Amino acid sequence: MITNPDEYLSRSDKWFVGGGTAALWAPCFPLHLDTLGFWDYGYYLDQKLPHIFTITVLDEQLNTINFNVIERVWRPSSLSQKFVAEDLSIVENKLLTPTNVFVSQMDIVNNGSKDRYCHFIMWTKLDRRPPKPMPIRLTYPFDYEGLIYTNPEITNNSAVFSQEEIHTNSECNYRVWYALGAKEKLNSYTINLCENFHMSLGSLEDQPLWVVTPFPEKIYGGKFKDETIPEKPFSEFGSIYIGLHYTIDLQHDFHNYTWFACSVSHDKDKCLNNLEDLQDKNPLELSRQNWRDFFNSVPSFECSDPYITKYYWYRWYGLKLNMINVGQNYHKHPIIYEGIGERDGGWFRHHISYSAQCHMIECSWMHDPSVAKGSLLGLLSNIHENGAIPGGVGFKGKTDDWFIYHANYAKGILQIYQIHPDVQFFEQIYEPLTKYAKYFDRQRDPEGSGLYDVIQQYETGQEYNARYLFAEENADRDVTFRLKGVDATTYIYELKKLLAFMAQALGKKEESEKWATEAEKIKENMLKFMWNPEEQFFFDVKPENFEPSNVKAAVCFYPFMTDIVDSHHLGAIRKHLLNPEEFWTPYPVPTLSRDHPFFNPEAEWKGVRKYCPWNGRVWPMTNSHICDALAQTAYYMDTSLKIKTAQFLSKFIRMMFYRENPESPNCYEHYNPLTGCPSSYRGVDDYMHSWVVDLIIRYIAGFQPQTENVVVLDPLPLNLEYFTLNNLLYKGHKIKITWRKEKIDQEKEGLCLYINSKLTAQRKQLEKIIVKINND
């Protein structure tokens, strides 16, 4: 039984830490992991923090002590590393508190025969350079020009300064405040401005090297001179070095506990207060309690398949890692960023509308639906005047109204309502969603066909796919075009069906009938123009004459998530999806059919490896859709497909492990459909761009939420020896589901459903169970 997911997820090949509020330390390809502190970059909200701090240890004669790392253990709450040198050992725990404080907590042991003392220099470097204007003006956040820093000051034994990211649109600028300090009393300090190194030295100045700092000369006599930068220095630009000096007495064979920390915030007072609040606390315990509380706030799951169990908890970790909850500016609601920041840019460090649909679905299972709802409200509260939902929202800015992502918001909204019924939520979102639907009718369907346009390759989140070349041969050159997209149209069909349901619940009968009529029109014309009965496939079409494309893209299976299809359309599944020569690859499904000339499993588009190609790679986002499409087909049209759905889900989850090692889950952007190799060349792991927890709960445990007051169980046949889903809150009731193929513990054999701790239904085999529940 898994009682501590934080410990259960521990491993030695990972380093990401976060508190689930605003700050994150997850550098791609870290260069200085074996260094005390946080020298590799981090993030606060959508701002990159270039160098946070490091610690250099000096002996009594002011010689540097060089440590080697001999042990590393990661868990969501901390990265623990053991450093050894001479007769000293340090166990450092790198962590982030829920108040956005980067902490290097140390247990220092003097293994020598005598007492001694050492100098601990906590330091950082700020590069103050003039901003470099972008040669081409692009929409926020791509108009970034540089960073500026305020002069550091010493306040309450802490070094305090701020950085400001400069954008062409000054309204998007904001300061991030830093406060550097430690558990120990500050002994001395120095703040010095130095000329930048010549280019011939390369990136030497960016390394945490004591010898390139001004500190060796400044600590003459065993103390710094408490210097600061003059009011009028020779030059305003250069490298600002901040050094904080502490001495620690180290008794032999004694554990000396201390910590060094950097608090970050967009509010100066909060920044200082959060650092000071640590003085009487144990930061490591704060971090572990933070993660315990989170894991206790979601349903628990385990089963006889180690991959499924591990991935269930790993996905919850990834969601927490990327959570944002600051309640200000453009982020008034709790949300989830799409992923970690890249080394060369931080687009994923935004509230991105394409991935928000996934976060709504996953977080609908949390006991508190605030994050699920916030993932939508955070977008709707920033909706453009023309009704477009912005493609990305940062802390103080959003993309222009011409850049959107197509997304299925309806699926997540309905599921939130099914699990946590709340008509007031409908009241909050009905009008902005109406505005959004009208935007699509007006801007993306001027013909009134009920079929909706994709106008550039990025707005589907699926660039470099052959489907766009049907509309415009230079579509991959970032030109605009018009293509009636199967995915875009399916999403609006689901939206209008949902609006009909919401309007009915809100007592708007005429509006409900109008939305239902419009949804029916979409369905009719998708079947008339997009379905090809000879090919048994849905295709994108041209707007001028509804000519169908011949490109078989994975998104063309999306109608099978809905009631658009019936048994007459099963040929698409059997002839194409399950065909090993098209989509049923060893690791299904590729985003483009294998028989297309542009198919490439190795992330290459026209001979060039790309960051985000959709011409044959397996994207977890697409797989989440396909799993739903295949499962819905199996449940409602052809039950013989349940086995194939179970196989698909099992392969999907196993793909997201390094070489199928059950102890090393991952979640990269895309994978090779033939080998399962991830896009590790990108360095972007823990990419929250799909839903998996939801698939495990709905199809493996079989719990399928409904709008009616019923519980429906219908697990897929994965041949599991056992599974347990517990601590699930559904319409105010606590649910537990167990499956035991044979008697192996105190649980009953067979499939059992418990509602509020009472055994409500039991079956000997995995079969469908429907039970009414009383909400009085």
Side-chain angles (χ1 to χ4, degrees):
M1 182 177 179
I2 298 167
T3 58
N4 187 348
D6 183 42
E7 184 176 340
Y8 169 69
L9 291 171
S10 66
R11 51 201 271 196
S12 62
D13 61 343
K14 201 166 180 65
W15 56 89
F16 300 0
V17 293
T21 307
L24 172 74
W25 192 71
C28 302
F29 310 117
L31 301 176
H32 310 291
L33 199 58
D34 292 353
T35 301
L36 293 167
F38 300 85
W39 194 255
D40 289 291
Y41 69 91
Y43 271 88
Y44 178 78
L45 297 172
D46 50 0
Q47 273 205 43
K48 188 175 181 179
L49 314 178
H51 302 303
I52 303 167
F53 70 87
T54 188
I55 301 107
T56 298
V57 184
L58 309 178
D59 64 18
E60 293 85 343
Q61 288 75 43
L62 303 180
N63 299 310
T64 56
I65 300 176
N66 298 313
F67 290 90
N68 293 315
V69 174
I70 63 168
E71 186 178 300
R72 177 179 294 129
V73 178
W74 171 89
R75 52 202 290 183
S77 61
S78 65
L79 172 64
S80 178
Q81 298 186 120
K82 187 171 184 178
F83 294 76
V84 295
E86 302 173 2
D87 54 2
L88 289 182
S89 65
I90 300 176
V91 174
E92 180 203 35
N93 277 283
K94 300 182 197 288
L95 61 95
L96 259 161
T97 71
T99 55
N100 303 305
V101 184
F102 293 83
V103 179
S104 168
Q105 183 163 318
M106 299 183 186
D107 181 1
I108 310 166
V109 179
N110 173 6
N111 298 304
S113 59
K114 297 179 180 180
D115 296 347
R116 62 181 302 187
Y117 72 91
C118 290
H119 304 268
F120 286 72
I121 314 299
M122 180 185 190
W123 61 276
T124 191
K125 180 178 75 74
L126 321 176
D127 288 325
R128 183 183 277 176
R129 295 186 175 95
K132 294 182 179 179
M134 294 286 289
I136 300 174
R137 296 300 182 203
L138 298 172
T139 185
Y140 170 83
F142 300 109
D143 62 347
Y144 165 72
E145 292 186 342
L147 288 175
I148 60 173
Y149 292 95
T150 57
N151 279 341
E153 59 186 45
I154 300 297
T155 303
N156 296 334
N157 288 319
S158 303
V160 181
F161 60 94
S162 70
Q163 75 175 38
E164 185 173 354
E165 204 173 70
I166 304 302
H167 293 268
T168 304
N169 178 4
S170 61
E171 292 181 359
C172 298
N173 300 343
Y174 69 95
R175 288 184 174 182
V176 174
W177 288 93
Y178 294 67
L180 295 170
K183 182 177 185 293
E184 309 298 324
K185 183 179 178 181
L186 182 63
N187 188 289
S188 63
Y189 64 87
T190 190
I191 302 171
N192 307 105
L193 179 60
C194 301
E195 184 177 21
N196 292 120
F197 282 134
H198 293 294
M199 291 300 293
S200 60
L201 291 177
S203 60
L204 186 65
E205 61 179 329
D206 286 327
Q207 298 183 40
L209 296 176
W210 175 256
V211 69
V212 302
T213 74
F215 305 142
E217 297 195 49
K218 296 292 183 179
I219 202 167
Y220 179 78
K223 277 185 85 171
F224 289 137
K225 302 174 185 178
D226 294 352
E227 291 179 317
T228 58
I229 298 172
E231 287 187 17
K232 295 182 179 181
F234 176 76
S235 172
E236 292 184 7
F237 302 112
S239 296
I240 302 173
Y241 285 89
I242 304 170
L244 304 180
H245 170 221
Y246 306 88
T247 56
I248 301 178
D249 293 322
L250 301 174
Q251 300 176 37
H252 72 95
D253 290 333
F254 185 80
H255 288 260
N256 298 268
Y257 157 77
T258 193
W259 51 256
F260 301 86
C262 177
S263 175
V264 292
S265 176
H266 57 280
D267 183 291
K268 183 177 181 180
D269 290 337
K270 280 186 179 178
C271 184
L272 280 165
N273 291 338
N274 290 338
L275 181 62
E276 292 171 1
D277 286 347
L278 285 185
Q279 282 299 332
D280 59 349
K281 296 181 175 68
N282 182 326
L284 180 58
E285 182 51 37
L286 282 177
S287 180
R288 288 182 175 172
Q289 187 62 52
N290 179 36
W291 281 92
R292 279 195 295 267
D293 291 344
F294 172 72
F295 287 130
N296 287 334
S297 73
V298 304
S300 64
F301 177 84
E302 61 182 297
C303 70
S304 56
D305 186 319
Y307 294 95
I308 296 171
T309 303
K310 185 72 75 173
Y311 210 86
Y312 177 85
W313 290 108
Y314 184 76
R315 173 47 61 99
W316 279 123
Y317 142 75
L319 291 165
K320 169 74 170 175
L321 180 77
N322 289 290
M323 279 185 184
I324 302 294
N325 191 2
V326 290
Q328 284 184 263
N329 295 325
Y330 286 63
H331 290 343
K332 291 183 171 63
H333 303 276
I335 56 173
I336 295 175
Y337 280 174
E338 187 167 282
I340 65 172
E342 302 158 87
R343 177 171 289 279
D344 57 352
W347 171 238
F348 298 150
R349 298 303 299 165
H350 288 83
H351 186 198
I352 296 177
S353 53
Y354 189 40
S355 56
Q357 61 180 325
C358 310
H359 309 152
M360 293 163 62
I361 294 165
E362 297 281 66
C363 295
S364 67
W365 296 105
M366 294 180 67
H367 296 169
D368 180 351
S370 297
V371 179
K373 292 179 179 179
S375 295
L376 178 68
L377 294 172
L379 297 172
L380 297 185
S381 62
N382 291 300
I383 196 169
H384 288 292
E385 284 299 316
N386 67 354
I389 291 176
V393 179
F395 182 57
K396 287 203 69 179
K398 59 185 177 182
T399 53
D400 294 337
D401 61 9
W402 61 265
F403 182 66
I404 67 165
Y405 280 116
H406 299 274
N408 189 359
Y409 303 113
K411 174 179 169 58
I413 294 166
L414 183 60
Q415 185 157 300
I416 293 168
Y417 179 79
Q418 290 171 331
I419 299 171
H420 307 280
D422 179 10
V423 176
Q424 289 185 340
F425 181 50
F426 283 178
E427 292 174 348
Q428 281 181 281
I429 64 177
Y430 180 75
E431 291 303 328
L433 285 175
T434 296
K435 189 176 179 181
Y436 178 63
K438 290 180 178 178
Y439 160 82
F440 265 85
D441 288 336
R442 183 178 65 254
Q443 302 277 31
R444 299 307 182 98
D445 185 26
E447 301 85 5
S449 65
L451 308 176
Y452 296 91
D453 292 346
V454 174
I455 64 171
Q456 47 101 351
Q457 65 170 344
Y458 294 104
E459 68 178 28
T460 61
Q462 303 169 17
E463 53 266 39
Y464 303 107
N465 191 315
R467 62 186 291 222
Y468 312 120
L469 303 183
F470 172 70
E472 166 56 58
E473 63 179 359
N474 292 315
D476 56 352
R477 300 290 181 181
D478 301 342
V479 300
T480 58
F481 53 84
R482 289 187 64 205
L483 179 69
K484 300 290 185 183
V486 173
D487 47 352
T489 303
T490 300
Y491 291 159
I492 299 302
Y493 171 71
E494 290 284 88
L495 176 64
K496 291 193 172 183
K497 275 186 59 184
L498 174 74
L499 285 167
F501 178 79
M502 291 171 62
Q504 184 71 30
L506 295 172
K508 302 175 185 289
K509 184 178 178 182
E510 290 185 5
E511 292 185 34
S512 177
E513 292 173 351
K514 177 183 78 73
W515 291 120
T517 300
E518 292 185 14
E520 187 60 29
K521 178 182 176 180
I522 295 173
K523 177 178 180 178
E524 290 175 0
N525 284 344
M526 283 191 76
L527 294 174
K528 181 178 180 181
F529 296 113
M530 290 181 161
W531 173 252
N532 185 319
E534 288 76 29
E535 287 292 328
Q536 292 284 290
F537 205 76
F538 284 94
F539 290 104
D540 302 323
V541 300
K542 289 184 176 178
E544 57 269 20
N545 55 14
F546 303 112
E547 176 191 352
S549 163
N550 64 352
V551 179
K552 289 174 289 186
V555 297
C556 295
F557 294 110
Y558 286 11
F560 287 86
M561 298 172 62
T562 75
D563 62 359
I564 291 172
V565 297
D566 59 29
S567 58
H568 295 92
H569 306 101
L570 282 172
I573 302 297
R574 296 204 170 277
K575 180 181 177 182
H576 300 290
L577 180 59
L578 302 182
N579 183 349
E581 300 304 315
E582 294 185 20
F583 291 98
W584 204 251
T585 51
Y587 295 90
V589 297
T591 45
L592 184 67
S593 177
R594 290 184 72 177
D595 59 4
H596 193 281
F598 278 99
F599 170 82
N600 187 288
E602 297 168 359
E604 294 174 352
W605 173 259
K606 297 183 177 180
V608 179
R609 189 180 74 174
K610 304 295 288 184
Y611 285 166
C612 302
W614 288 70
N615 61 319
R617 298 287 277 184
V618 179
W619 282 74
M621 167 70 92
T622 303
N623 269 13
S624 296
H625 284 77
I626 296 299
C627 190
D628 270 335
L630 189 54
Q632 295 307 301
T633 305
Y635 281 123
Y636 298 108
M637 283 186 276
D638 186 350
T639 56
S640 68
L641 291 173
K642 284 187 174 182
I643 294 176
K644 287 294 185 182
T645 307
Q647 291 173 354
F648 173 81
L649 184 49
S650 179
K651 287 184 177 183
F652 176 22
I653 290 174
R654 275 169 167 74
M655 178 186 71
M656 296 183 289
F657 286 79
Y658 291 104
R659 300 185 183 276
E660 294 200 9
N661 177 353
E663 297 302 316
S664 298
N666 61 56
C667 191
Y668 284 91
E669 295 164 277
H670 46 87
Y671 298 76
N672 187 310
L674 307 181
T675 66
C677 181
S679 54
S680 50
Y681 66 91
R682 291 273 286 142
V684 181
D685 196 357
D686 297 339
Y687 183 58
M688 298 297 99
H689 190 253
S690 56
W691 58 92
V692 182
V693 160
D694 178 71
L695 302 177
I696 292 172
I697 292 176
R698 287 193 296 123
Y699 301 134
I700 296 178
F703 188 90
Q704 299 174 12
Q706 308 291 317
T707 53
E708 301 84 7
N709 288 331
V710 296
V711 170
V712 175
L713 296 187
D714 198 355
L716 289 175
L718 270 83
N719 198 30
L720 297 174
E721 295 296 320
Y722 68 88
F723 69 72
T724 299
L725 176 67
N726 201 358
N727 198 30
L728 187 153
L729 295 187
Y730 176 66
K731 301 183 190 291
H733 300 273
K734 187 174 181 179
I735 304 296
K736 177 182 176 182
I737 303 163
T738 62
W739 161 252
R740 299 294 184 270
K741 199 171 186 179
E742 298 176 350
K743 183 71 174 176
I744 57 173
D745 54 18
Q746 74 277 9
E747 300 292 350
K748 298 179 182 296
E749 285 187 51
L751 180 64
C752 296
L753 168 66
Y754 298 83
I755 302 178
N756 299 325
S757 302
K758 180 180 178 181
L759 179 61
T760 308
Q762 183 176 9
R763 302 288 187 273
K764 291 184 177 180
Q765 303 297 326
L766 286 177
E767 57 187 68
K768 192 170 186 176
I769 294 176
I770 302 177
V771 175
K772 291 184 178 181
I773 55 176
N774 186 353
N775 275 342
D776 295 337

Coordinates of all heavy atoms in Angstrom, one line a residue, residues 469-502:
L469 N -0.5 21.6 -45.8 CA 0.0 21.8 -47.2 C -1.1 21.6 -48.2 O -1.0 22.1 -49.4 CB 1.2 20.8 -47.5 CG 2.4 20.9 -46.5 CD1 3.5 19.9 -47.0 CD2 2.9 22.3 -46.4
F470 N -2.1 20.9 -47.8 CA -3.3 20.7 -48.7 C -4.0 22.1 -49.0 O -4.4 22.3 -50.1 CB -4.3 19.8 -48.1 CG -5.6 19.7 -48.8 CD1 -5.7 19.0 -50.0 CD2 -6.8 20.2 -48.2 CE1 -6.9 18.9 -50.7 CE2 -8.0 20.1 -48.9 CZ -8.1 19.5 -50.1
A471 N -3.9 23.0 -48.0 CA -4.5 24.3 -48.1 C -3.6 25.3 -48.7 O -4.0 26.2 -49.4 CB -5.1 24.8 -46.8
E472 N -2.3 25.2 -48.4 CA -1.3 26.2 -48.8 C 0.1 25.5 -48.8 O 0.5 25.0 -47.8 CB -1.3 27.3 -47.8 CG -0.1 28.3 -47.9 CD 0.1 28.8 -49.3 OE1 -0.8 29.5 -49.8 OE2 1.2 28.6 -49.9
E473 N 0.7 25.4 -50.0 CA 2.0 24.7 -50.1 C 3.1 25.3 -49.3 O 4.1 24.6 -49.0 CB 2.4 24.6 -51.6 CG 2.7 26.0 -52.2 CD 3.1 25.9 -53.6 OE1 3.2 24.7 -54.1 OE2 3.4 26.9 -54.3
N474 N 3.0 26.5 -48.9 CA 4.0 27.2 -48.0 C 3.5 27.3 -46.6 O 4.0 28.2 -45.8 CB 4.4 28.5 -48.6 CG 5.1 28.4 -49.9 OD1 6.0 27.6 -50.0 ND2 4.7 29.2 -50.9
A475 N 2.5 26.5 -46.2 CA 2.0 26.6 -44.8 C 3.1 26.4 -43.7 O 2.9 27.0 -42.7 CB 0.9 25.5 -44.6
D476 N 4.1 25.7 -44.0 CA 5.2 25.5 -43.1 C 6.1 26.6 -43.0 O 7.1 26.6 -42.3 CB 5.9 24.2 -43.4 CG 6.5 24.1 -44.8 OD1 6.2 25.0 -45.6 OD2 7.3 23.2 -45.1
R477 N 5.9 27.7 -43.8 CA 6.7 28.9 -43.8 C 6.0 30.0 -43.0 O 6.3 31.2 -43.2 CB 6.9 29.4 -45.2 CG 7.7 28.4 -46.1 CD 9.1 28.2 -45.7 NE 9.8 27.3 -46.6 CZ 11.1 26.9 -46.4 NH1 11.8 27.5 -45.4 NH2 11.7 26.1 -47.2
D478 N 5.0 29.6 -42.2 CA 4.3 30.5 -41.3 C 3.4 31.5 -42.0 O 3.1 32.6 -41.5 CB 5.3 31.3 -40.4 CG 6.2 30.3 -39.5 OD1 5.8 29.2 -39.4 OD2 7.2 30.8 -39.0
V479 N 2.9 31.2 -43.2 CA 2.0 32.0 -43.9 C 0.6 31.6 -43.4 O 0.4 30.5 -42.9 CB 2.1 31.9 -45.4 CG1 3.5 32.3 -45.8 CG2 1.8 30.4 -45.8
T480 N -0.4 32.4 -43.6 CA -1.8 32.1 -43.2 C -2.5 31.4 -44.4 O -2.1 31.5 -45.6 CB -2.6 33.4 -42.9 OG1 -2.6 34.3 -43.9 CG2 -1.9 34.0 -41.6
F481 N -3.5 30.7 -44.1 CA -4.3 29.9 -45.0 C -5.7 29.7 -44.4 O -5.9 30.1 -43.3 CB -3.6 28.6 -45.4 CG -3.3 27.8 -44.2 CD1 -4.2 26.9 -43.6 CD2 -2.0 27.8 -43.6 CE1 -3.9 26.2 -42.5 CE2 -1.7 27.1 -42.5 CZ -2.6 26.3 -41.9
R482 N -6.5 29.0 -45.1 CA -7.8 28.6 -44.6 C -8.0 27.1 -44.8 O -7.9 26.7 -46.0 CB -9.0 29.4 -45.2 CG -9.0 30.9 -44.7 CD -10.3 31.5 -45.2 NE -11.5 30.9 -44.6 CZ -12.7 30.9 -45.2 NH1 -12.9 31.5 -46.4 NH2 -13.7 30.4 -44.6
L483 N -8.3 26.4 -43.8 CA -8.6 24.9 -43.9 C -9.6 24.6 -42.8 O -9.5 24.9 -41.6 CB -7.3 24.2 -43.6 CG -7.4 22.6 -43.6 CD1 -7.7 22.2 -45.1 CD2 -6.1 22.0 -43.1
K484 N -10.7 24.0 -43.3 CA -11.8 23.6 -42.3 C -11.2 22.3 -41.6 O -11.1 21.3 -42.3 CB -13.1 23.2 -43.1 CG -13.7 24.4 -43.8 CD -14.3 25.5 -42.9 CE -15.0 26.5 -43.7 NZ -15.5 27.6 -42.8
G485 N -10.9 22.5 -40.3 CA -10.2 21.4 -39.6 C -11.2 20.5 -38.9 O -12.1 20.9 -38.3
V486 N -10.9 19.2 -39.0 CA -11.7 18.2 -38.3 C -11.6 18.4 -36.8 O -12.7 18.4 -36.0 CB -11.3 16.8 -38.6 CG1 -12.0 15.7 -37.7 CG2 -11.5 16.5 -40.1
D487 N -10.4 18.7 -36.3 CA -10.3 18.9 -34.8 C -11.0 20.2 -34.4 O -11.7 20.2 -33.4 CB -8.8 18.9 -34.4 CG -7.9 19.8 -35.3 OD1 -8.4 20.3 -36.4 OD2 -6.7 20.0 -35.0
A488 N -10.7 21.3 -35.1 CA -11.4 22.6 -34.7 C -12.9 22.5 -34.7 O -13.6 23.0 -33.8 CB -10.9 23.7 -35.7
T489 N -13.4 21.8 -35.7 CA -14.9 21.7 -35.9 C -15.4 20.7 -34.8 O -16.5 21.0 -34.2 CB -15.2 21.1 -37.3 OG1 -14.7 22.0 -38.2 CG2 -16.7 21.0 -37.4
T490 N -14.7 19.7 -34.5 CA -15.2 18.8 -33.4 C -15.3 19.5 -32.1 O -16.2 19.4 -31.3 CB -14.2 17.6 -33.2 OG1 -14.2 16.9 -34.5 CG2 -14.7 16.7 -32.1
Y491 N -14.3 20.4 -31.8 CA -14.2 21.1 -30.5 C -15.4 22.1 -30.4 O -16.0 22.2 -29.4 CB -12.9 21.9 -30.4 CG -11.7 21.1 -30.2 CD1 -10.4 21.7 -30.6 CD2 -11.7 19.8 -29.7 CE1 -9.3 21.0 -30.4 CE2 -10.5 19.1 -29.5 CZ -9.3 19.7 -29.9 OH -8.1 19.0 -29.7
I492 N -15.8 22.8 -31.5 CA -16.9 23.7 -31.5 C -18.2 23.0 -31.4 O -19.2 23.4 -30.8 CB -16.9 24.7 -32.7 CG1 -15.6 25.5 -32.6 CG2 -18.0 25.6 -32.7 CD1 -15.3 26.3 -31.4
Y493 N -18.3 21.8 -32.0 CA -19.5 21.0 -31.9 C -19.7 20.6 -30.4 O -20.8 20.8 -29.9 CB -19.3 19.7 -32.7 CG -20.4 18.7 -32.4 CD1 -21.7 18.9 -32.8 CD2 -20.2 17.5 -31.6 CE1 -22.7 17.9 -32.6 CE2 -21.2 16.6 -31.4 CZ -22.4 16.8 -31.8 OH -23.4 15.9 -31.6
E494 N -18.7 20.2 -29.7 CA -18.8 19.9 -28.3 C -19.1 21.1 -27.5 O -19.9 21.0 -26.5 CB -17.5 19.3 -27.8 CG -17.1 17.9 -28.3 CD -18.0 16.8 -27.6 OE1 -19.1 16.6 -28.1 OE2 -17.5 16.3 -26.6
L495 N -18.6 22.3 -27.9 CA -18.9 23.5 -27.1 C -20.3 23.9 -27.3 O -21.0 24.2 -26.3 CB -18.0 24.6 -27.7 CG -18.2 26.0 -27.1 CD1 -17.9 26.1 -25.6 CD2 -17.5 27.1 -27.8
K496 N -20.9 23.8 -28.5 CA -22.3 24.2 -28.6 C -23.2 23.2 -28.0 O -24.3 23.6 -27.4 CB -22.6 24.4 -30.1 CG -21.9 25.6 -30.7 CD -22.4 26.0 -32.1 CE -21.7 27.3 -32.5 NZ -22.2 27.8 -33.8
K497 N -22.9 21.9 -28.0 CA -23.7 21.0 -27.2 C -23.7 21.3 -25.7 O -24.7 21.3 -25.0 CB -23.1 19.6 -27.4 CG -23.6 18.8 -28.6 CD -23.2 17.4 -28.6 CE -23.6 16.7 -27.4 NZ -23.1 15.3 -27.3
L498 N -22.5 21.7 -25.2 CA -22.4 22.1 -23.8 C -23.2 23.3 -23.5 O -23.8 23.4 -22.5 CB -20.9 22.3 -23.4 CG -20.7 22.8 -22.0 CD1 -20.9 21.7 -21.0 CD2 -19.3 23.4 -21.9
L499 N -23.1 24.3 -24.4 CA -23.8 25.6 -24.2 C -25.3 25.3 -24.1 O -26.1 25.9 -23.4 CB -23.5 26.6 -25.3 CG -22.1 27.2 -25.2 CD1 -21.8 28.0 -26.5 CD2 -22.1 28.2 -24.0
A500 N -25.8 24.3 -24.9 CA -27.2 23.9 -24.8 C -27.5 23.4 -23.5 O -28.6 23.7 -22.9 CB -27.5 22.9 -25.9
F501 N -26.7 22.5 -23.0 CA -26.9 21.9 -21.7 C -26.8 23.0 -20.6 O -27.6 23.0 -19.6 CB -25.8 20.9 -21.4 CG -25.9 20.2 -20.1 CD1 -26.8 19.2 -19.8 CD2 -25.0 20.6 -19.1 CE1 -26.8 18.6 -18.6 CE2 -25.0 19.9 -17.8 CZ -26.0 18.9 -17.6
M502 N -25.8 23.9 -20.6 CA -25.7 24.9 -19.6 C -26.9 25.9 -19.7 O -27.4 26.3 -18.6 CB -24.4 25.7 -19.9 CG -23.1 25.0 -19.6 SD -21.7 25.8 -20.2 CE -21.7 27.3 -19.2

